[in-house]
Amino acid sequence: MSRIDRALAGNPFEIDHTQCMLAADAVSKFSPASAGAPWAHAPQEAQVVFKLFFVAICHQINWDFLQRRLFEQFFDEDAQRMLKTGLNASSDFIQETLGEYSKPERIRATERARYLRETANAVYVHFDGVVERIYHRNTIFGENSLFFNLKKIPAYAEDPLQKKTSAFAQELAREGIVSFVDADAIPPAIDYHLIRLYLRTGRVFATDPHVFNTLKTGTTHRPRLVKLLREKVGEALDITAAFARLPVHELNYLEWQIGRSRCEQASTNCDRAWPHELIDRSILELSAGCPYRTSCNAYAMPEWKAMLEPAFNGSFY
């Protein structure tokens, strides 16, 4: 048994609560902008269907690009027409929609077309084509809740940590599409940007030196390592949100933008200006540079900048 396997017999990841508290203090005054999305004028059912399909195929690809292209090529104010389009989605449709993507190997047209068809089919089979039945109780957890019902849709059911389900719920809550009575229960949606951010800020760290050094390689890692790390980052995000007194879905949204804008794989931008393509410009009110730089391990100790998220070629990471 290798040293990594021995470490993975337990859980080699821990949370630094002090780092969580310091990070929370840096972002506690964040308030997301309320600017409406281009689909915000549409009926609620149409917005929900659009988000349902979008999140179902949002993995291993740029979020903004996918959402923009899907809106341009797929969106319809008639939710039933969108469902029928999804039911008949082909790989050619995906290739045409996403063909301009800068990383063509990530288009994965056959896979994404299948997810669209399966999602539409599940809405017809399990909910009689009535999308409102997925969320009609306006609850996140419990019998017939959003999380309960999304287990019937393959794209949402295959991840044991339900990242896409959490992301979908966060989108509905953040954009005001659905008002959940238990919105404070929405869990974190952990992707590779957040994993990288939490490792570099030191809020989550490896207790085993072999695991620590392995995370500097950016190579493919064991599924158990990825699962344990995602779980621990989710716990740390919950803790940070509690310290900051921010809803999880707001902090998740903020930190996802910090991770992908300032804490990229190949470089860190701790002090320079924010990029112009920020989704939410209200982040600028927090800090001219990265709001975490005063407490971030990677800012003070260069070796922590080498920390990378594990490579994992799944459909929910």
Side-chain angles (χ1 to χ4, degrees):
M1 181 183 289
S2 71
R3 298 290 294 269
I4 297 293
D5 288 326
R6 283 199 290 272
L8 290 175
N11 191 332
F13 299 108
E14 291 290 346
I15 296 171
D16 187 325
H17 286 68
T18 299
Q19 287 296 91
C20 289
M21 182 176 64
L22 292 170
D25 185 62
V27 297
S28 61
K29 292 181 173 58
F30 174 67
S31 179
S34 57
W39 48 83
H41 65 281
Q44 181 190 51
E45 186 181 25
Q47 294 187 61
V48 172
V49 170
F50 174 63
K51 290 291 185 177
L52 184 70
F53 280 122
F54 162 59
V55 177
I57 62 171
C58 195
H59 53 272
Q60 299 288 320
I61 196 168
N62 180 271
W63 175 282
D64 307 325
F65 174 82
L66 177 64
Q67 185 160 229
R68 175 176 60 81
R69 290 298 293 149
L70 206 62
F71 177 71
E72 293 169 351
Q73 300 293 318
F74 186 84
F75 182 79
D76 194 308
E77 291 200 7
D78 186 324
Q80 291 303 312
R81 278 203 296 262
M82 261 194 293
L83 283 173
K84 290 177 182 176
T85 301
L87 193 62
N88 295 301
S90 66
S91 58
D92 287 343
F93 168 74
I94 294 294
Q95 189 63 48
E96 180 182 348
T97 301
L98 307 181
E100 298 176 359
Y101 193 53
S102 60
K103 298 177 180 178
E105 72 279 4
R106 292 196 175 189
I107 293 175
R108 295 159 68 163
T110 300
E111 177 187 67
R112 294 188 206 279
R114 173 172 57 82
Y115 278 138
L116 289 181
R117 294 193 301 271
E118 289 177 344
T119 298
N121 184 65
V123 173
Y124 285 119
V125 170
H126 298 292
F127 308 103
D128 296 322
V130 182
V131 176
E132 187 183 3
R133 293 182 182 176
I134 299 175
Y135 62 92
H136 73 102
R137 295 189 55 154
N138 287 13
T139 54
I140 296 299
F141 291 115
E143 187 71 20
N144 220 17
S145 65
L146 185 74
F147 269 63
F148 178 89
N149 287 327
L150 286 179
K151 290 178 182 178
K152 300 171 184 176
I153 300 178
Y156 289 87
E158 62 186 16
D159 178 10
L161 301 186
Q162 297 181 283
K163 176 242 177 177
K164 286 184 177 178
T165 301
S166 296
F168 179 58
Q170 290 188 19
E171 284 290 280
L172 297 184
R174 187 176 56 80
E175 294 190 13
I177 299 171
V178 177
S179 297
F180 293 104
V181 297
D182 54 348
D184 58 345
I186 299 175
I190 304 303
D191 75 346
Y192 46 91
H193 295 303
L194 286 164
I195 291 174
R196 187 168 63 247
L197 182 67
Y198 273 69
L199 287 172
R200 289 179 178 173
T201 56
R203 281 176 281 174
V204 172
F205 62 95
T207 57
D208 182 274
H210 297 279
V211 175
F212 183 89
N213 289 325
T214 296
L215 287 172
K216 295 179 181 179
T217 65
T219 54
T220 301
H221 293 287
R222 297 162 174 79
R224 176 168 168 77
L225 184 149
V226 175
K227 180 176 181 291
L228 291 174
L229 181 53
R230 291 174 67 209
E231 286 177 332
K232 196 61 71 175
V233 171
E235 292 175 28
L237 195 154
D238 272 327
I239 292 168
T240 305
F243 279 136
R245 297 185 179 180
L246 288 174
V248 164
H249 63 269
E250 289 186 5
L251 181 65
N252 208 142
Y253 171 66
L254 167 64
E255 294 201 302
W256 168 70
Q257 293 188 76
I258 295 173
R260 70 182 199 143
S261 300
R262 288 195 170 275
C263 208
E264 299 179 78
Q265 280 188 333
S267 64
T268 57
N269 173 12
C270 306
D271 298 301
R272 297 188 304 277
W274 289 92
H276 290 294
E277 61 270 18
L278 273 177
I279 294 176
D280 193 322
R281 304 296 292 179
S282 61
I283 294 176
L284 297 173
E285 298 176 10
L286 285 176
S287 172
C290 178
Y292 293 143
R293 66 190 186 280
T294 57
S295 63
C296 176
N297 282 1
Y299 190 69
M301 297 174 282
E303 68 171 308
W304 285 76
K305 290 184 180 180
M307 302 302 290
L308 294 169
E309 71 279 9
F312 187 71
N313 192 30
S315 59
F316 48 77
Y317 183 49

